[in-house]
Amino acid sequence: DIQMTQSPSSLFASAGDRVSITCRTSQNITSHLNWYQQKPGKAPKLLIYGASSLHTGVPSRFSGSGTGTDFTLIISSLQPEDFATYYCQQGHSTPPITFGQGTRLGIK
Amino acid sequence: EVQLEESGGGLVQPGGSLTLSCAASGFTFGSFWMTWVRQAPGRGLEWVASIKQDGGEENYVDSVRGRFTISRDNAKKSLYLQMNTVRAEDTAVYYCARQTYYYGSGKYYIIYDYWGRGTLVTVSS
């Protein structure tokens, strides 16, 4: 199974800040990495697929990069609605599909 | 608009059974793989099971294989998860998700592009 490691596990920032979240995989998954946003009590929402492609309706302040085993999610200017938990997921080698443990983005 | 709505969660005793349902609308249900993902209280996301468009292939995480069964009824646009011999560690919110394949870097890969709101399963005596 492919192991996923996100860092940091939690992050505190202010509106307007630029933040980055990292996801590292235990095997080369080329660009087959997706990012999701989850707010408390809500379902996850797809943000980015294929490491860098924005899902429909996702604001352009979100961006993704990386290939192989190291990936990054960047939010260029935090908005109040961006405070949530973010998960990476590999879709390369299945089953099983595996997710990172999550990064909680809180208000400083 | 794509919509997925889970139902059937509740309190069940250890060793008991429960069946979850997911009603789909807004897309051609029979054209997509479908998946169950769960989230234990305060924990991250865990893939549970997936089923092919025609029901002819099923995949399970090791911890539920032999106890849970995923199925679907394309005429009713519904996905199911039959949970047998449940354990305390099966306590979680269960989400159904639409599974989509994209092509990149020489092969297809999996994306979960739409999710339901989830249904809570609590295993306790």
Side-chain angles (χ1 to χ4, degrees):
Chain A
D1 300 358
I2 296 178
Q3 308 304 313
M4 315 285 290
T5 304
Q6 280 183 239
S7 60
S9 55
S10 61
L11 173 62
F12 296 91
S14 302
D17 286 353
R18 172 185 172 95
V19 300
S20 64
I21 298 169
T22 297
C23 180
R24 179 163 291 174
T25 60
S26 60
Q27 300 174 28
N28 183 350
I29 63 167
T30 63
S31 63
H32 301 158
L33 190 285
N34 308 316
W35 290 97
Y36 300 84
Q37 177 194 66
Q38 186 180 34
K39 296 182 179 179
K42 303 294 186 181
K45 290 185 177 180
L46 176 65
L47 289 177
I48 289 173
Y49 61 95
S52 62
S53 297
L54 258 60
H55 185 50
T56 305
V58 174
S60 59
R61 63 181 179 271
F62 291 91
S63 64
S65 65
T67 187
T69 61
D70 293 289
F71 302 88
T72 302
L73 171 69
I74 292 175
I75 310 172
S76 60
S77 178
L78 273 173
Q79 299 301 301
E81 61 267 29
D82 300 336
F83 292 97
T85 300
Y86 293 84
Y87 294 92
C88 58
Q89 170 246 321
Q90 67 85 13
H92 178 82
S93 179
T94 63
I97 294 292
T98 46
F99 293 87
Q101 79 277 17
T103 294
R104 178 175 166 260
L105 176 55
I107 300 173
K108 185 185 292 183
Chain B
E1 179 189 6
V2 173
Q3 291 192 336
L4 298 167
E5 184 171 0
E6 302 89 342
S7 60
L11 177 63
V12 57
Q13 292 187 339
S17 298
L18 199 63
T19 299
L20 307 183
S21 300
C22 172
S25 62
F27 66 102
T28 305
F29 180 75
S31 296
F32 291 84
W33 280 73
M34 295 296 295
T35 288
W36 289 99
V37 174
R38 67 184 178 183
Q39 186 170 35
R43 305 295 297 274
L45 301 169
E46 180 184 36
W47 169 77
V48 175
S50 297
I51 187 167
K52 194 176 180 180
Q53 291 95 326
D54 62 359
E57 184 176 341
E58 304 163 24
N59 301 125
Y60 299 91
V61 68
D62 286 347
S63 60
V64 309
R65 187 176 292 110
R67 300 188 298 120
F68 291 9
T69 301
I70 189 172
S71 63
R72 64 191 296 161
D73 185 332
N74 288 343
K76 294 183 177 179
K77 300 181 182 180
S78 293
L79 176 72
Y80 306 100
L81 186 67
Q82 172 70 43
M83 307 169 62
N84 295 330
T85 320
V86 297
R87 306 166 179 165
E89 55 265 35
D90 296 321
T91 294
V93 175
Y94 285 73
Y95 297 100
C96 69
R98 190 176 82 167
Q99 182 169 312
T100 298
Y101 287 85
Y102 273 78
Y103 188 81
S105 301
K107 65 174 286 187
Y108 286 94
Y109 62 102
I110 286 172
I111 295 166
Y112 300 124
D113 57 356
Y114 293 97
W115 300 60
R117 294 184 176 182
T119 187
L120 175 62
V121 173
T122 303
V123 182
S124 175
S125 55

